[in-house]
Structures are given as structure tokens and as C-alpha cells.
């Protein structure tokens, strides 16, 4: 009897072990969520830009961010993280730390603009040098919040906030993320212009400290002018805030689908390579000392440069910049040839691919500079 009981227990344990392992073998690992950090500008003792009527900038920015987060959370593949969800003061450098600690894929900071005139329209900034005096003034206005922080002299000792060289110095610290930041900013501005019929004040570069603190593609959106009579009403209205939030959310989802969708899995299903037909033969344009490549994607994931990972495309190379891997198709000093490669990449589904140029030691140089 004892042996029969022991054998019964043994069978129970055996079947339990088999079931557990069978389950673990059939289950796929959870898909990594696309993380977006939303930053409502200002807050607490920092009211932001003043408004003669209606809510201050800090309240408008928060309402837009909360509506934006709610919309993004409808996508089960997106995780939303907030720098603040209520009226509290958060140091600029802490906002960046929140995004970096979360290892976010995007950082979006939302603000309202202001001017002494009746200027109006929306503009989206990426980190960069001040291209003109207007951009400098916008950056200085947003950066001025640091003077409300404790120990700001020590925290921001590397910045001269009143200098044209200012906020980030002379070097573009976030260069490896600039392409993606500009792409996202362009999607946002397109939606503002086409879906909401807002005045498009374009994508711009300036030295915002809050963008400098992050190590991922980052943008700062000036949703409109709180000092413009009509635009202030729009920014204060629930309909306006929801419309802006939805337009930004659509841009984020589009960015995710176009830039990251084919890098969601470690191995990407391959397929037949589509060879683009070049109808008009151009003469070869050789530029000595320069290597042209087609950038397909950028990701935090390190993938084998094999055709099965890149829809059958061969001649794939990989470069690491910071924490990001960039993937390229082709390598030639023939600009005419690389244009054919670009068409092939697009024909194979890499619709946002573009040409980049390198000098010796893989030093990237602006394509326009090379062609000129």
C-alpha cells in the first residue's frame, strides 16, 4: 500500500513537472513595451508663461499631457510614464532622470508659447544649437525655471543660460537621436497643420535643458501662444486640449509603427527581396573619400546583420552610437548607386529609410555638405 501511494505521488509530481515545462516551452516571452515619458511643463511654484485670462501654462500643459497619456494607453504595446500627474514642481534635471531610469523610447515635453505680439501657431523643438535669436529667446524662457530650483548654480554649472552659446554649449550632445527626434517632431507638426488646421511654425532646434538631460529621442512641443486672444481660448478649452492630445498621440503611434515595428522581435521574418526598377539611368556620381549608406533603422537592440533580420536585404552593417544601434544597407562612394539602394529599401518596406554619408573612421557628415 505504501509503495502504491509513493508511486502515485511520483506520478503526480512527474505530470506536474511535465505540465510546467510544457507550458514554459509553449509560452512566448512577453513583448517589450514601447515606453513614452510625458512631461507636462512647469508646475507648482513655477506657473510658466502668464495668461491675462484663463489657466496658466502649467495647468494647460498638464491637461494636454493627461489626455495624451490616456489616448496612448489605448495601445496595449505602449507604456506611459509621467514626470508629473498633478500640480507639483519638478526640477528640470529630475525630469530627464525619470526618462533615463525608465529606459524610455521617447520623451515628450508639452508647453505653451508666449509673445508680446499676437503671434500664433504651434512649433516643435528638438535639441540643438540656437539657429536664430527667436529660438534662443524661447529656450531661455523655458530654461529660466532653473532659477527656482535649489542649488541651481551647482546643478547647472556647465550652462551659461544667458549666452547665445548657452544651454548645451557648442556641441550637440544628443546627435545619435537627432534623426529620430526630427522625424517625430515632423509627424507632430504635420498633424497640427493637416488635422487641426493650426498654423505650422515648423520643427526647430534650440538648447532646452530638459531635452539635454535625456538619452533617447526627445521633443518639446509649444502647442500655441497663450498670449494670443483666439489661441488662448483654444488652449483653455477641453476640445482644444483633447484635439492637441489626439494629434500628438497619432504622431507617436505612427512613429512607433514606422521606426520600431520591424525591430520588436529579435528575429524578423524575412522574405523575398524586392529589387526596385530604376527607369532613368543616371551617370555614376563618385565622391572620393566619402561612403554613402542607407539608414534602415535605429534601435536599442543588437541584431545580427543577416538577411533574415532585414527582409532579405544583404550588405547590412551596424554601428553603435551611445546606447543605440543603427542599421545600414549598402556602402559605396557612388551616390547614384546608393540612390538605387534607397529605392530597394523602400520597396522592401523601409519607407522611412534615408541616405547618410561618412568620411574616414565612420565619422558621419551632413549629406547636403557632401553633395555641395
Amino acid at each position: 500500500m505504501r509503495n502504491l501511494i509513493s508511486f502515485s505521488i511520483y506520478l503526480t509530481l512527474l505530470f506536474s513537472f511535465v505540465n510546467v515545462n510544457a507550458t514554459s516551452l509553449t509560452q512566448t516571452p512577453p513583448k517589450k513595451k514601447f515606453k513614452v515619458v510625458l512631461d507636462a511643463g512647469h508646475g507648482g511654484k513655477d506657473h510658466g508663461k502668464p495668461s491675462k485670462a484663463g489657466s496658466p501654462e502649467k495647468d494647460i500643459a498638464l491637461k494636454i499631457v493627461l489626455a495624451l497619456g490616456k489616448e496612448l494607453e489605448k495601445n496595449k504595446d505602449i507604456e506611459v510614464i509621467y514626470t508629473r500627474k498633478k500640480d507639483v514642481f519638478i526640477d528640470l534635471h529630475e525630469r530627464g532622470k525619470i526618462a533615463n531610469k525608465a529606459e524610455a523610447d521617447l520623451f515628450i515635453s508639452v508647453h505653451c508659447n508666449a509673445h508680446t505680439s499676437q503671434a500664433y501657431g504651434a512649433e516643435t523643438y528638438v535639441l540643438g544649437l540656437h539657429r536664430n535669436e527667436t529660438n534662443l529667446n524661447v529656450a531661455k524662457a523655458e530654461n529660466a525655471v532653473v532659477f527656482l530650483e535649489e542649488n541651481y548654480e551647482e546643478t547647472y554649472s556647465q550652462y551659461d543660460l544667458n549666452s547665445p552659446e548657452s544651454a548645451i554649449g557648442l556641441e550637440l550632445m544628443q546627435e545619435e537621436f537627432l534623426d529620430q527626434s526630427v522625424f517625430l517632431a515632423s509627424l507632430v507638426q504635420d498633424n497640427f497643420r493637416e488635422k487641426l488646421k493650426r498654423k505650422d511654425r515648423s520643427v526647430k532646434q534650440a538648447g532646452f535643458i530638459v531635452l539635454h538631460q535625456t538619452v533617447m529621442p526627445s521633443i518639446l512641443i509649444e502647442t500655441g501662444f497663450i498670449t494670443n486672444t483666439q489661441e488662448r481660448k483654444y488652449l483653455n478649452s477641453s476640445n482644444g486640449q483633447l484635439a492637441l492630445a489626439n494629434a500628438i498621440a497619432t504622431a507617436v503611434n505612427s512613429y512607433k509603427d514606422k521606426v520600431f515595428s520591424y525591430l520588436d522581435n529579435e528575429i524578423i521574418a524575412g522574405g523575398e527581396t524586392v529589387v526596385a526598377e530604376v527607369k532613368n539611368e543616371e551617370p555614376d556620381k563618385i565622391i572620393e573619400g566619402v561612403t554613402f549608406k542607407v539608414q534602415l533603422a535605429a534601435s536599442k537592440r543588437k541584431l545580427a546583420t543577416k538577411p533574415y533580420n532585414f527582409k532579405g536585404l544583404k550588405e547590412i552593417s551596424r554601428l553603435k552610437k551611445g546606447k543605440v544601434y543603427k542599421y545600414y544597407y549598402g556602402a559605396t562612394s557612388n551616390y547614384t548607386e546608393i540612390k538605387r539602394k534607397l529605392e530597394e529599401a523602400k520597396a522592401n518596406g523601409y519607407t522611412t529609410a534615408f541616405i547618410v554619408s561618412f568620411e574616414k573612421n565612420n565619422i558621419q557628415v551632413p549629406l547636403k555638405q557632401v553633395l555641395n
Side-chain angles (χ1 to χ4, degrees):
M1 186 67 174
R2 182 180 299 170
N3 290 337
L4 183 60
I5 293 172
S6 299
F7 183 66
S8 175
I9 293 172
Y10 168 77
L11 286 178
T12 301
L13 291 173
L14 177 61
F15 282 118
S16 297
F17 176 78
V18 171
N19 287 336
V20 168
N21 282 275
T23 302
S24 64
L25 288 172
T26 56
Q27 284 180 342
T28 56
K31 188 177 181 181
K32 179 183 178 294
K33 289 208 171 186
F34 185 81
K35 294 182 182 179
V36 181
V37 170
L38 300 181
D39 173 51
H42 310 281
K45 60 185 176 181
D46 173 25
H47 290 253
K49 299 179 184 71
S51 175
K52 293 180 180 178
S55 302
E57 180 186 3
K58 65 173 184 175
D59 293 343
I60 295 172
L62 181 58
K63 288 176 181 177
I64 293 173
V65 157
L66 292 177
L68 170 57
K70 186 176 181 181
E71 186 64 26
L72 288 175
E73 286 167 347
K74 293 178 181 178
N75 187 331
K76 59 179 174 42
D77 294 330
I78 293 179
E79 178 182 348
V80 178
I81 299 160
Y82 302 86
T83 59
R84 70 181 182 97
K85 294 184 75 173
K86 54 186 179 180
D87 186 19
V88 292
F89 180 77
I90 308 288
D91 293 348
L92 287 185
H93 69 276
E94 287 298 329
R95 297 169 191 252
K97 282 183 181 179
I98 292 170
N100 296 338
K101 185 177 179 181
E103 296 186 349
D105 296 294
L106 287 180
F107 177 86
I108 300 173
S109 190
V110 175
H111 293 257
C112 300
N113 220 330
H115 200 264
T116 53
S117 71
Q118 283 292 299
Y120 66 99
E123 56 198 25
T124 302
Y125 283 86
V126 299
L127 183 65
L129 301 178
H130 309 300
R131 299 305 182 190
N132 55 43
E133 189 67 20
T134 301
N135 292 12
L136 170 60
N137 289 336
V138 173
K140 284 171 68 175
E142 299 295 0
N143 291 342
V145 63
V146 302
F147 297 117
L148 298 177
E149 299 179 19
E150 295 181 8
N151 302 320
Y152 70 87
E153 297 97 335
E154 182 179 344
T155 304
Y156 304 102
S157 59
Q158 72 269 42
Y159 303 110
D160 177 2
L161 298 177
N162 296 307
S163 166
E165 290 77 22
S166 74
I168 63 166
L170 294 174
E171 185 178 358
L172 182 59
M173 301 296 291
Q174 219 190 16
E175 183 179 359
E176 63 265 36
F177 305 111
L178 181 59
D179 295 338
Q180 293 133 290
S181 299
V182 170
F183 179 52
L184 174 60
S186 299
L187 291 174
V188 170
Q189 287 299 129
D190 289 347
N191 286 348
F192 284 165
R193 181 184 65 254
E194 295 169 12
K195 295 180 182 297
L196 306 186
K197 309 303 179 186
R198 312 304 298 172
K199 181 180 179 181
D200 180 5
R201 295 176 63 90
S202 76
V203 175
K204 302 177 180 180
Q205 286 185 270
F208 292 98
I209 292 178
V210 71
L211 297 184
H212 175 268
Q213 303 298 313
T214 60
V215 289
M216 73 278 308
S218 304
I219 61 173
L220 185 146
I221 304 170
E222 297 283 2
T223 52
F225 283 77
I226 203 169
T227 46
N228 178 278
T229 305
Q230 293 302 317
E231 203 154 58
R232 181 170 61 245
K233 294 178 182 177
Y234 182 79
L235 293 171
N236 273 283
S237 70
S238 56
N239 287 340
Q241 292 161 4
L242 183 60
L244 290 164
N246 287 342
I248 300 168
T250 300
V252 172
N253 281 306
S254 180
Y255 172 93
K256 177 186 177 297
D257 291 342
K258 290 180 179 179
V259 176
F260 282 85
S261 61
Y262 47 84
L263 289 174
D264 278 342
N265 300 309
E266 188 172 351
I267 296 179
I268 300 161
E272 264 188 54
T273 303
V274 179
V275 179
E277 181 182 352
V278 181
K279 294 181 180 179
N280 298 318
E281 288 293 334
E282 295 181 29
D284 288 343
K285 183 176 182 179
I286 310 295
I287 302 181
E288 298 294 339
V290 174
T291 300
F292 297 106
K293 299 181 180 182
V294 175
Q295 183 169 321
L296 300 176
S299 172
K300 292 180 182 178
R301 294 175 186 155
K302 184 178 181 181
L303 299 177
T305 55
K306 302 293 184 182
Y308 60 72
N309 274 349
F310 295 90
K311 302 183 181 181
L313 293 176
K314 302 176 182 178
E315 299 179 63
I316 301 296
S317 59
R318 179 185 66 224
L319 284 177
K320 187 178 182 183
K321 283 196 172 186
K323 294 183 178 180
V324 173
Y325 294 96
K326 293 189 176 184
Y327 297 91
Y328 305 94
Y329 174 47
T332 177
S333 59
N334 186 337
Y335 183 64
T336 307
E337 175 64 22
I338 206 64
K339 286 200 290 184
R340 293 193 194 98
K341 296 284 189 187
L342 176 62
E343 291 305 312
E344 288 178 16
K346 289 186 174 182
N348 279 276
Y350 294 96
T351 56
T352 60
F354 54 93
I355 296 172
V356 292
S357 51
F358 297 87
E359 291 182 341
K360 291 181 180 179
N361 301 319
N362 284 323
I363 297 174
Q364 189 170 342
V365 291
L367 181 62
K368 186 181 293 186
Q369 176 183 317
V370 170
L371 297 179
N372 288 340

